[in-house]
Amino acid sequence: QLMESGGGSVQDGGSLKIACAVSGNLYSHYCMAWFRQIPGHEREGVATIASTGGTSYADSVKGRFTISGDKAKNTLYLAMNDLQPADTAIYYCAARGLGTYCTDEYATVVPDDYNFWGQGTQVTVSA
């Protein structure tokens, strides 16, 4: 129900925009988030978006990454600018179903709160 695309390799300082195709009403009725994971490390929350449109970001990406969505296309995006080698990871989109409208306080960065996951897309930033 979630499928990421758009990953790739860029140079330090470059930009990428990754996308997550979301099936059905998943996008409208769920909290959505982007996580990333480096092999051997825990999954890290990068950005979240609630049904209200409210967003939150990890301190490490504030001012560089933007989460957004296109409800007409049922697609979630993560625009990444000024990429750094430390941003190299597999990026996953995730959805949290509450059975109701997602308000800001439920758009967490706790991986266990999310019950739908994409397969991930690799982002590699070289120095």
Side-chain angles (χ1 to χ4, degrees), residues 6-32:
S9 298
V10 296
Q11 297 287 325
D12 192 353
S15 299
L16 273 178
K17 188 173 185 178
I18 56 178
C20 175
V22 183
S23 65
N25 286 327
L26 199 64
Y27 178 82
S28 296
H29 295 84
Y30 285 67
C31 305
M32 304 296 299

Side-chain angles (χ1 to χ4, degrees), residues 53-115:
T55 59
S56 68
Y57 298 91
D59 287 343
S60 59
V61 306
K62 277 181 184 176
R64 301 188 297 122
F65 289 14
T66 303
I67 187 171
S68 64
D70 185 333
K71 291 185 178 181
K73 295 182 179 179
N74 276 349
T75 302
L76 182 73
Y77 300 100
L78 184 68
M80 303 179 287
N81 296 313
D82 190 21
L83 282 161
Q84 302 162 9
D87 296 317
T88 295
I90 299 173
Y91 284 72
Y92 299 89
C93 69
R96 179 184 187 184
L98 299 168
T100 187
Y101 196 71
C102 171
T103 49
D104 292 7
E105 66 269 28
Y106 291 105
T108 70
V109 290
V110 179
D112 286 346
D113 286 344
Y114 290 79
N115 44 5

